[in-house]
């Protein structure tokens, strides 16, 4: 064992003026294990004490006003108070959603953020958003019933994935949310406000008995651009509110109230993440949106300013604490939850995710915005999807129709990637579109390049479902949305019980990240006051379950 003076050192500032400490000698520790345990006791204060040149630590005792800060041969060097989880992030977030952490799990489309995930987290008083994107209204309605039945008065959210090319689908989803009184939605992929999201927001407005605006329909908007954040930070556009009132969808009172509040209660600034992402660095994006929020708040003087949270890259206590110390009101995890027991992904996919390094990701063409060249971030380890998807984009960009594609390229396309003939896939696509979007089917009949895009979207769309359901024989084509946070998480939990995917449970992950963030906050507090310690105390690893 190291001697104590090799473990902890103290370098006081010129202005330090410490009180004394009064307590039992037996509660002061100088050995490595008890120092660690004392630091980890977050519910109690930490007293750093000097005994004849040896620096020890205690959770017990109290401050006294003895001369020169010395009591019974013990000199009080510094102290830090207890730390509560409601001190991390914005306490308004905790109160608004009735949760215990400034932490939520974001929606992952096609039910990857499953009912089980939302319910498990909800029962633990942690906010979670169901991944409604890409699911049928019938499937989403079933999820609403299941989650509401399980959670009762607990908080939960449902995703609203913007569908600019299919507004009827978005409208159907809003109608479902209003019909079943889904009170929190996580709005994502919006480039501009739609009539539908404004309708949802305004339809939940009223005045309470104190003549104050009551907001029943809460919106958490996920954005990665300042111009989009601006739209959610401001009130709903007057033009849309007027139209909704004229259509009888909202009352004149609701239209007037909507003009006095922001479109969103919370805005999640999304940095480099899995799935759709602009790959923005968090350290640049968050301060910019915080400054924008303050500017717009100064203009409108809302009673409750919009809170700004962060997503993208949050997967360890260090990244969580960094975001919170930069001013984030709350943090959102995404990629890492896919490898948890409750996620709606296959065991094969969870195993691939658990083995990922930070560099095992790349950008690939997106199914929903294929023709626009929009890309999303996916796992490249253990799958050829990103390379094959890129090949489809190159064919689409270089040729106007399948007739122009060279025969050898067509053979590779049908046998290696699609594994079906183009004619067979078009038959399936036609059947699907005839029910869901007959107008697009009609356009494709006279537009061979659009037909090509729709057939390629068949592969791009199904590849993510194959990953979720564990489609046998298609493992090499799995599309797995993933950001570098996954690799960072795997590095952090290596050697701990969370390294095994069978032990990865979403509540455990949340507890460990938030506990670790609180612990690291305490360590930094001690360091900034002059205490130097070995790096072993500056790390937090999930060695065992909490609670």
């Amino acid at each position: 064992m190291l001697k104590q003076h090799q473990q902890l050192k103290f370098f006081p500032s010129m202005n330090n003026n410490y009180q004394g400490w009064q307590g039992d000698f037996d509660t002061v520790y100088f050995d490595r294990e008890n120092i660690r345990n004392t630091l980890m006791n977050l519910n109690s204060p930490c007293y750093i004490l000097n005994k004849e040149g040896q620096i020890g630590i205690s959770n017990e005792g109290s401050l006294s006003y003895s001369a020169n800060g010395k009591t019974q041969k013990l000199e009080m060097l510094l102290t830090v108070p207890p730390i509560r989880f409601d001190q991390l992030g914005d306490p308004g977030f905790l109160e608004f959603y009735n949760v215990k952490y400034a932490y939520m799990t974001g929606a992952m489309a096609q039910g990857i953020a499953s009912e089980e995930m939302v319910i498990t987290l909800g029962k633990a008083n942690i906010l979670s958003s169901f991944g409604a994107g890409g699911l049928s209204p019938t499937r989403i309605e079933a999820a609403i019933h299941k989650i509401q039945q399980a959670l009762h008065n607990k908080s939960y959210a449902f995703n609203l994935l913007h569908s600019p090319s299919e507004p009827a689908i978005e409208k159907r989803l809003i109608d479902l949310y209003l019909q079943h009184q889904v009170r929190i939605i996580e709005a994502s992929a919006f480039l501009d406000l739609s009539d539908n999201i404004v309708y949802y927001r305004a339809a939940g407005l009223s005045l309470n008995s104190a003549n104050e605006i009551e907001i029943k329909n809460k919106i958490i908007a996920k954005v990665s651009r300042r111009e989009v954040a601006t739209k959610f930070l401001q009130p709903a556009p007057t033009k849309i509110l007027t139209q909704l009132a004229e259509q009888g969808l909202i009352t004149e009172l609701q239209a007037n109230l909507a003009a006095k509040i922001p479109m969103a209660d919370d805005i999640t600034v999304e940095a480099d993440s899995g799935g759709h992402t602009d790959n923005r660095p968090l350290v640049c994006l968050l301060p910019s949106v915080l400054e924008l929020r303050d500017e717009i708040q100064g203009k409108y003087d809302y009673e409750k300013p919009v809170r700004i949270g962060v997503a993208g890259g949050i997967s360890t206590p260090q990244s969580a604490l960094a975001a919170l110390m930069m001013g984030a009101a709350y943090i959102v995890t995404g990629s890492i939850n896919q490898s948890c027991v409750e996620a709606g992904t296959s065991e094969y996919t969870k195993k691939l995710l658990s083995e990922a390094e930070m560099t095992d990701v790349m950008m690939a063409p997106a199914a929903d915005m294929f023709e626009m060249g929009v890309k999303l971030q996916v796992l490249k380890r253990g799958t050829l999807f990103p390379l094959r998807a890129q090949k489809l984009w190159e064919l689409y960009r270089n040729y106007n129709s399948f007739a122009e594609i060279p025969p050898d390229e067509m053979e590779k396309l049908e046998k290696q990637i699609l594994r079906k003939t183009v004619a067979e896939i078009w038959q399936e696509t036609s059947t699907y579109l005839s029910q869901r979007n007959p107008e697009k089917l009609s356009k494709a009949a006279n537009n061979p390049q659009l037909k090509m895009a729709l057939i390629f979207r068949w592969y791009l769309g199904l590849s993510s479902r194959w990953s979720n359901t564990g489609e046998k024989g298609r493992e090499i084509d799995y599309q797995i949305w993933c950001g570098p946070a996954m690799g960072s998480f795997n590095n952090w939990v290596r050697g701990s019980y969370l390294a095994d995917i069978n032990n990865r449970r979403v509540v455990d992950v949340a507890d460990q990240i938030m506990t670790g963030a609180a612990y690291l906050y305490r360590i930094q507090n001690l360091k900034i006051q002059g205490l130097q310690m070995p790096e072993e105390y500056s790390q937090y690893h999930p060695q065992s379950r909490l609670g």
Side-chain angles (χ1 to χ4, degrees):
M1 172 146 329
L2 294 174
K3 293 182 179 179
Q4 182 55 35
H5 69 273
Q6 293 176 300
Q7 290 189 11
L8 301 178
K9 296 180 181 180
F10 181 62
F11 295 89
S13 69
M14 294 179 62
N15 297 323
N16 281 348
N17 183 19
Y18 296 110
Q19 300 167 308
W21 176 84
Q22 185 174 356
D24 188 340
F25 274 17
D26 292 338
T27 67
V28 183
Y29 301 108
F30 300 89
D31 63 285
R32 179 182 286 107
E33 181 178 356
N34 279 309
I35 287 175
R36 162 69 80 165
N37 291 338
T38 303
L39 289 169
M40 272 297 301
N41 186 1
L42 302 175
N43 294 321
S44 299
C46 272
Y47 301 103
I48 307 301
L49 305 157
N50 179 21
K51 179 184 179 183
E52 300 175 352
Q54 283 191 315
I55 297 178
I57 185 170
S58 177
N59 292 136
E60 306 296 332
S62 60
L63 297 175
S64 68
Y65 292 89
S66 59
N68 300 320
K70 295 182 179 180
T71 306
Q72 301 176 339
K73 298 182 181 180
L74 284 173
E75 180 184 7
M76 218 318 246
L77 299 178
L78 61 96
T79 181
V80 291
I83 179 167
R84 306 185 311 272
F85 290 116
D86 60 6
Q87 293 173 282
L88 296 177
D90 190 330
F93 181 89
L94 278 61
E95 181 183 2
F96 195 69
Y97 296 109
N98 191 28
V99 291
K100 68 176 181 179
Y101 294 147
Y103 176 112
M104 69 173 285
T105 66
M108 292 170 284
Q110 295 188 1
I112 294 175
S114 65
E115 293 98 327
E116 185 181 1
M117 183 180 294
V118 174
I119 291 168
T120 301
L121 286 160
K123 287 182 176 179
N125 291 323
I126 300 172
L127 185 60
S128 178
S129 180
F130 178 77
L135 300 180
S136 69
T138 302
R139 170 74 176 82
I140 296 170
E141 189 169 29
I144 293 173
H145 289 311
K146 185 173 182 179
I147 290 171
Q148 288 183 338
Q149 185 175 13
L151 292 184
H152 304 294
N153 294 324
K154 302 278 188 178
S155 291
Y156 60 88
F158 269 71
N159 183 226
L160 177 67
L161 188 64
H162 185 39
S163 304
S165 61
E166 297 177 303
I169 293 176
E170 187 176 291
K171 177 62 164 59
R172 174 74 177 107
L173 197 52
I174 287 295
D175 289 340
L176 265 182
Y177 291 162
L178 291 174
Q179 176 188 346
H180 296 290
Q181 298 185 15
V182 173
R183 294 305 189 189
I184 307 169
I185 64 169
E186 184 187 31
S188 56
F190 279 81
L191 296 177
D192 201 352
L193 297 177
S194 67
D195 294 2
N196 298 315
I197 195 168
V198 173
Y199 171 39
Y200 173 84
R201 182 66 160 172
L205 298 177
S206 61
L207 289 173
N208 62 20
S209 57
N211 208 37
E212 300 168 332
I213 300 176
E214 186 173 347
I215 304 172
K216 292 182 180 177
N217 295 338
K218 303 172 177 65
I219 293 178
I220 302 172
K222 187 181 288 184
V223 307
S224 58
R225 302 185 182 189
R226 276 175 61 102
E227 61 269 26
V228 180
T230 299
K231 297 177 187 298
F232 282 99
L233 286 165
Q234 294 177 334
T238 303
K239 181 179 178 181
I240 297 179
L241 291 172
T242 301
Q243 291 174 348
L244 292 172
E246 289 174 350
Q247 294 168 12
L249 294 174
I250 62 174
T251 65
E252 289 291 341
L253 174 62
Q254 288 171 330
N256 291 333
L257 296 178
K260 299 177 181 179
I261 64 166
M263 267 299 297
D265 303 287
D266 297 270
I267 289 180
T268 302
V269 173
E270 186 175 23
D272 192 12
S273 64
H276 287 290
T277 179
D278 284 329
N279 303 112
R280 302 288 176 87
L282 179 61
V283 293
C284 299
L285 186 58
L286 176 59
S288 176
V289 178
L290 284 170
E291 182 181 8
L292 177 66
R293 186 273 311 273
D294 293 343
E295 177 186 324
I296 294 177
Q297 172 64 22
K299 177 181 179 180
Y300 290 99
D301 193 26
Y302 301 126
E303 182 180 349
K304 293 182 179 179
V306 178
R307 292 174 292 267
I308 309 296
V310 299
I314 308 298
S315 60
T316 63
Q318 290 91 338
S319 55
L321 181 61
L324 293 168
M325 290 300 99
M326 285 173 62
Y330 59 96
I331 57 174
V332 183
T333 56
S335 296
I336 62 175
N337 301 314
Q338 291 185 104
S339 65
C340 291
V341 172
E342 299 88 352
T345 54
S346 65
E347 291 301 309
Y348 185 91
T349 293
K350 289 173 183 175
K351 187 172 187 302
L352 285 181
L353 287 166
S354 72
E355 296 168 350
E357 299 288 346
M358 281 185 283
T359 54
D360 288 333
V361 294
M362 69 179 291
M363 301 300 289
D368 55 347
M369 301 182 190
F370 177 73
E371 297 95 318
M372 298 168 60
V374 174
K375 294 187 175 184
L376 38 67
Q377 194 158 219
V378 296
L379 186 71
K380 67 178 180 180
R381 183 189 183 104
T383 172
L384 290 177
F385 167 79
L387 298 177
R388 290 181 168 179
Q390 183 60 31
K391 179 64 176 179
L392 298 184
W393 168 247
E394 291 171 2
L395 291 173
Y396 175 77
R397 185 184 58 189
N398 294 332
Y399 303 102
N400 295 315
S401 68
F402 285 111
E404 293 183 7
I405 300 177
D408 60 332
E409 289 282 7
M410 277 296 295
E411 184 177 4
K412 291 178 183 177
L413 172 66
E414 293 184 326
K415 290 187 176 180
Q416 295 180 12
I417 301 179
L418 302 179
R419 298 196 197 175
K420 285 187 177 184
T421 66
V422 166
E424 288 173 325
I425 296 174
W426 180 241
Q427 182 60 48
E428 292 182 27
T429 304
S430 297
T431 302
Y432 173 79
L433 288 176
S434 65
Q435 299 174 352
R436 184 177 176 119
N437 196 335
E439 184 180 350
K440 182 165 284 189
L441 179 61
S442 177
K443 289 180 180 179
N446 301 310
N447 187 335
Q449 194 173 38
L450 175 57
K451 180 178 179 180
M452 185 190 300
L454 293 172
I455 287 174
F456 288 166
R457 287 173 67 171
W458 172 91
Y459 171 82
L460 298 172
L462 284 178
S463 55
S464 58
R465 296 181 188 177
W466 292 334
S467 168
N468 296 345
T469 60
E471 182 77 16
K472 298 296 183 183
R474 278 290 192 173
E475 289 85 354
I476 206 70
D477 294 299
Y478 284 5
Q479 177 183 175
I480 305 169
W481 303 314
C482 181
M486 189 74 249
S488 182
F489 177 82
N490 289 333
N491 290 335
W492 173 53
V493 302
R494 188 169 288 121
S496 77
Y497 78 102
L498 287 176
D500 185 345
I501 58 172
N502 296 311
N503 292 331
R504 291 188 181 182
R505 297 187 177 276
V506 284
V507 172
D508 269 4
V509 169
D511 288 343
Q512 293 285 3
I513 288 176
M514 292 302 288
T515 299
Y519 173 79
L520 294 177
Y521 178 78
R522 165 168 282 183
I523 295 300
Q524 292 304 317
N525 200 335
L526 289 167
K527 284 183 176 181
I528 208 168
Q529 293 186 65
L531 186 69
Q532 288 193 354
M533 60 188 77
E535 286 306 306
E536 63 179 289
Y537 298 124
S538 300
Q539 303 296 323
Y540 176 87
H541 296 286
Q543 296 300 324
S544 59
R545 284 186 171 86
L546 299 169

